[in-house]
Structures are given as C-alpha cells and as structure tokens.
Amino acid sequence: QAWRTAAFGLYGFTQFTKSGFVEHAKKFREEDMQIRLDGKNCLVTGANSGLGYATAQGLASHGATVYMLCRNKERGETALNEIRSKTGNMNVHLEICDLSSINEVKSFATKFSSLEKPLHVLVNNAGLLEHKRTTTPEGLELNFAVNVAATYTLTELVMPLLEKAAPDARVFTVASGGMYTEPLNTNLQYSESEFDGTKQYARNKRVQVALTEWWAEKYSNKGVGFYSMHPGWADTPGVSKSLPGLSEKLSGNLRSNEEGADTVVWLALQPKEKLVPGAFYFDRAEAQKHLKFAGTASSHEQIGSIVDSIRSICSLPANP
C-alpha cells in the first residue's frame, strides 16, 4: 500500500497536472478534433458543472444532440442555456435524475428509452467523493451508489438504445488515477469500521475500470464499445470541495475542465477501429491500468462475482 501511494504520487505530480497535459498535448493531432457528430445522440451524466459540463459543451460544439443528465433542475437549466449560447447548438436537452437513487435511475432509463432513439455515446461522468459515511434512503453507501451502482444500472438499462446505434455506439466511464492505489475489492460498501472516503472513492474507480473490461468482453458482439479514462487532476468544483488539500498544493497546476474533458471528447470523435476495447485512456492514449510492482493486476479476476453483487444490490435480475 505504501509503495502504491508513493508511486501514484510521483506519477501523478509529473503526469496528471496541467504541465503534464501541456507536455502530452505536443503529440496531439489537430485533425483528430475536426470530426463532426451531427445526428449523433449523446447522454452525459453530471453535466451541469466541471468535467461533465465541459464534455457536454465539447460534444455540442461538434454538432451532437446532447442530453445533459443533472440532479438539480436550476443548475441544470443554467448550464443548458450557457452551452446552447456558447455552441450555437439548440439540440441540447436537460434530463433530471438523482443518481444516488437506483429507483430514480431505473425510472429515468424507462422514460429515456421510451423516446426509442439510438444512443451513440453514453458518458458516465457523474462522480462523488464523500468523506463521511453516508447511507442513502435506499440503504446504500453514498459513494458506491453514485460511482458504481448508478453507473452500472444506467449502462445496462440503456444497452438496447446503444445497440440501436451499433456498430458506432460507445460508452465512456470517467474513472480516476486514484484507482492506482487500490486493487479490486469485493467489499463494495466499505464495511470497515473506520470509514475512509478517499479510499472508497479509489476502490469505486477501480471497479469502474474493471467493469469496463468486463462489459467490453461481454458485449463484444453487440457493436457497442466500452472505454474508461482518467481526466488528470482538474480544477473542478468536485475537486476543490472533496480534496481541498490537493487543490491548494497544486494551485495553478491543476488542469482546466476543458483539458480534463479533452480525452472523452477525443474518444467520441475517433473512428472506432482506432480504439482498444476495454482500455483505459489518458491524454488521448491508452494508459496502464496498474502501476509497476503495485500488486493490483490479479484482483480484476473477481469482477464476475462483483457484477453479481451489484446486480443483487440494485435488484436487477441475475445475469443471463
């Protein structure tokens, strides 16, 4: 654990910061971003601020029809109007759902599916780092509910819409380099007595990366691509609220929201044959999922039993 934390710190300070982005951007190809998304339907969760907002704006600026999934109607409407006026794209819509409630996620998925529109891009961006142990009214630990349970449930329930957009459909899950510090763990709701929100967040992010691999394999013949990514350390409202220490320490060297969202937008634009199914991306390139000597790699073998647990917790029928 100590080695993982130290290696992660060193790797992060050199790569995940603004200076890391500036360095990596020297290799970016301008023509990669000149692709249009007209006629493509995109759903972005947690889209009213931070990386979700920048992602929704980026997709809208390339002509996509964007559905912004937000918890708060007022903040969502403000963001919606801003993105419409900045991009000149009126095909941006607001959907309301509290992702900490699995029942609300199910209701939203039913309602959204009734539109019967193909879904070309799903961005699982909404995330949470809550330091105090908090239990939702449905009895779930709050970080797990938003980061894992909602991500899994929403993705599974909109699969028929994604299949309508095959072979071009893709699902991006915004994970975090924090996952480098934790192996996959079957203790999904952090039953240890001393709750550590940062550790639980890292575990949640590790689940997202392993889930992406699992989905890519399970649905390999469905024409839907699954990818996870790390935005780097960006100056988002979420980071300043949840990790004020990091925010202060890296003041001036945190990425902008646009820099953090750059890879998601890039992934949405690239021809699918250029992308590696189930891979973890960082700064427009495939990245390692495990740090050297960290001992986290073999843990991914547990993902099957973890999926069974998530399905049971979310009252979804057993996996076929």
Side-chain angles (χ1 to χ4, degrees):
Q1 178 70 52
W3 164 258
R4 286 200 295 263
T5 306
F8 166 69
L10 184 65
Y11 186 50
F13 280 108
T14 56
Q15 306 290 315
F16 301 166
T17 45
K18 190 180 204 58
S19 45
F21 182 84
V22 170
E23 191 53 41
H24 300 154
K26 291 174 184 169
K27 294 195 186 131
F28 292 176
R29 293 161 36 142
E30 210 178 303
E31 59 269 30
D32 282 0
M33 300 307 267
Q34 287 165 355
I35 297 158
R36 297 287 298 168
L37 292 171
D38 301 84
K40 301 273 177 79
N41 297 314
C42 306
L43 175 60
V44 182
T45 69
N48 64 286
S49 70
L51 299 173
Y53 177 96
T55 301
Q57 185 180 323
L59 297 171
S61 70
H62 287 270
T65 296
V66 181
Y67 295 89
M68 302 169 61
L69 189 60
C70 305
R71 184 184 54 182
N72 181 295
K73 192 163 187 276
E74 276 167 53
R75 287 203 295 262
E77 279 171 354
T78 304
L80 172 76
N81 293 328
E82 279 177 13
I83 289 174
R84 280 180 172 176
S85 73
K86 280 180 188 168
T87 62
N89 182 345
M90 290 296 122
N91 293 320
V92 185
H93 309 283
L94 179 63
E95 300 287 344
I96 305 296
C97 177
D98 180 352
L99 292 168
S100 69
S101 160
I102 302 310
N103 289 328
E104 269 200 44
V105 173
K106 289 175 180 174
S107 303
F108 165 73
T110 303
K111 182 183 133 225
F112 192 69
S113 300
S114 70
L115 300 173
E116 296 196 344
K117 287 186 176 164
L119 181 59
H120 300 84
V121 175
L122 167 62
V123 183
N124 289 313
N125 161 76
L128 182 79
L129 196 176
E130 175 53 61
H131 290 285
K132 293 196 179 89
R133 185 191 294 278
T134 308
T135 305
T136 70
E138 293 166 11
L140 306 187
E141 188 278 315
L142 182 59
N143 292 288
F144 165 80
V146 174
N147 299 330
V148 176
T151 296
Y152 179 82
T153 302
L154 179 61
T155 304
E156 288 284 326
L157 295 181
V158 299
M159 261 309 284
L161 302 181
L162 288 159
E163 286 179 51
K164 273 180 194 275
D168 199 33
R170 37 192 96 181
V171 175
F172 306 120
T173 298
V174 178
S176 163
M179 63 102 190
Y180 285 127
T181 60
E182 289 293 319
L184 199 59
N185 191 318
T186 54
N187 178 8
L188 295 172
Q189 303 204 62
Y190 210 99
S191 59
E192 294 98 324
S193 53
E194 288 294 309
F195 186 76
D196 181 334
T198 307
K199 199 171 195 176
Q200 173 66 338
Y201 178 81
R203 287 178 181 180
N204 290 175
K205 295 289 153 182
R206 172 63 72 189
V207 174
Q208 290 180 336
V209 171
L211 249 184
T212 297
E213 289 177 340
W214 185 86
W215 272 323
E217 200 174 309
K218 178 176 162 73
Y219 295 130
S220 58
N221 61 346
K222 300 277 194 192
V224 181
F226 291 87
Y227 316 90
S228 55
M229 63 76 69
H230 172 38
W233 291 338
D235 194 8
T236 66
V239 167
S240 50
K241 176 175 173 281
S242 306
L243 296 167
L246 183 75
S247 236
E248 279 163 35
K249 208 180 292 177
L250 293 177
S251 178
N253 199 13
L254 285 172
R255 299 175 170 211
S256 69
N257 290 323
E258 289 70 27
E259 289 165 346
D262 174 80
T263 293
V264 189
V265 178
W266 178 84
L267 284 163
L269 297 176
Q270 299 322 293
K272 219 163 162 198
E273 50 276 15
K274 198 168 150 180
L275 306 180
V276 181
F280 181 60
Y281 280 86
F282 173 59
D283 286 350
R284 301 193 194 178
E286 191 179 355
Q288 61 194 18
K289 292 174 182 168
H290 307 277
L291 294 176
K292 273 196 180 113
F293 313 120
T296 56
S298 61
S299 67
H300 279 213
E301 291 161 13
Q302 304 176 85
I303 189 61
S305 68
I306 284 173
V307 167
D308 291 341
S309 301
I310 298 169
R311 290 190 79 86
S312 155
I313 291 164
C314 299
S315 305
L316 293 164
N319 235 319

